[in-house]
């Protein structure tokens, strides 16, 4: 009888161990499934956040691209026609016309006050004024566009950094699954 009792006890122990093993396996599978779902949700949130960052920075990227293109126009890098059009736009701008009128009036008023209205110095000053003003406005426009280009460059760098961080985070999450 002791052999039979030992066999029954051994069988009960095996049954109990098998049942416990199945319960642990089921719990492990449920935990793994929950982890996979959590990682998938985290990956989706990472992508959503990156898309939101891209959307927020897009206007700055576009402004920078336009600023760079306009700088290239002023330098003649996009062709002589675009360079001439950029110069003409500045030359015919309301700012150029207002500054030219004010500057020429100031030269004439000074000449009138000093009695040199018809003198050669006045004529020379008037002849040099508009080209110098145009040169100054072109340089100013180039500098202003440089600010836009910098804004776009910074936005592009921020987008790139966010993309790299997102990729790294998603890669880490994918290794968990």
């Amino acid at each position: 009888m002791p052999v039979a009792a030992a066999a029954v006890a051994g069988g009960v122990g095996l049954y109990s161990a098998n049942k416990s093993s199945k319960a642990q396996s089921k719990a492990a599978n449920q935990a793994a499934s929950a982890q996979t779902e959590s990682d998938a949700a985290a990956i989706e949130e990472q992508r959503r956040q990156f898309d939101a960052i891209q959307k927020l920075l897009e206007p700055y990227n576009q402004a920078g691209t336009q600023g760079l293109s306009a700088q290239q126009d002023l330098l003649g890098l996009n062709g002589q026609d675009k360079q001439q059009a950029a110069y003409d736009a500045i030359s015919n701008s309301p700012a150029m016309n207002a500054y030219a009128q004010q500057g020429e009036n100031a030269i004439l008023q000074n000449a009138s006050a000093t009695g040199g209205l018809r003198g050669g110095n006045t004529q020379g000053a008037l002849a040099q004024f508009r080209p110098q003003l145009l040169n100054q406005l072109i340089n100013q426009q180039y500098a202003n566009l440089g600010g836009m280009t910098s804004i776009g460059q910074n936005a592009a760098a921020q987008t790139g950094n966010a993309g790299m961080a997102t990729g790294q985070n998603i890669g880490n999450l994918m290794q968990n699954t």
Side-chain angles (χ1 to χ4, degrees), residues 73-88:
D73 289 349
L74 284 171
L75 294 174
L77 298 176
N78 292 330
Q80 290 180 350
D81 291 342
K82 288 193 177 195
Q83 184 180 36
Q84 187 61 53
Y87 285 179
D88 289 345

Side-chain angles (χ1 to χ4, degrees), residues 47-58:
R47 289 181 177 145
R48 191 180 73 76
Q49 290 298 320
F50 176 69
D51 290 344
I53 288 171
Q54 266 188 314
K55 186 175 181 180
L56 287 171
L57 293 175
E58 182 58 28

Side-chain angles (χ1 to χ4, degrees), residues 14-57:
L14 284 175
Y15 173 76
S16 181
N18 187 25
K19 190 171 184 180
S20 175
S21 175
K22 285 183 181 179
Q24 287 176 347
S25 178
K26 184 177 178 183
N29 286 342
Q30 287 175 338
S33 178
Q35 182 65 46
T36 299
E37 288 177 20
S38 174
D39 289 344
I43 288 169
E44 184 55 36
E45 181 61 17
Q46 287 283 324
R47 289 181 177 145
R48 191 180 73 76
Q49 290 298 320
F50 176 69
D51 290 344
I53 288 171
Q54 266 188 314
K55 186 175 181 180
L56 287 171
L57 293 175

Side-chain angles (χ1 to χ4, degrees), residues 70-125:
Q71 280 183 303
Q72 291 171 328
D73 289 349
L74 284 171
L75 294 174
L77 298 176
N78 292 330
Q80 290 180 350
D81 291 342
K82 288 193 177 195
Q83 184 180 36
Q84 187 61 53
Y87 285 179
D88 289 345
I90 295 170
S91 182
N92 298 322
S93 71
M96 174 68 177
N97 291 330
Y99 294 146
Q101 185 177 17
Q102 289 173 2
E104 289 169 350
N105 285 342
I107 292 170
L108 291 172
Q109 286 174 358
N110 185 42
S112 177
T114 59
L117 192 57
R118 297 191 200 295
N121 289 341
T122 302
Q123 296 304 315

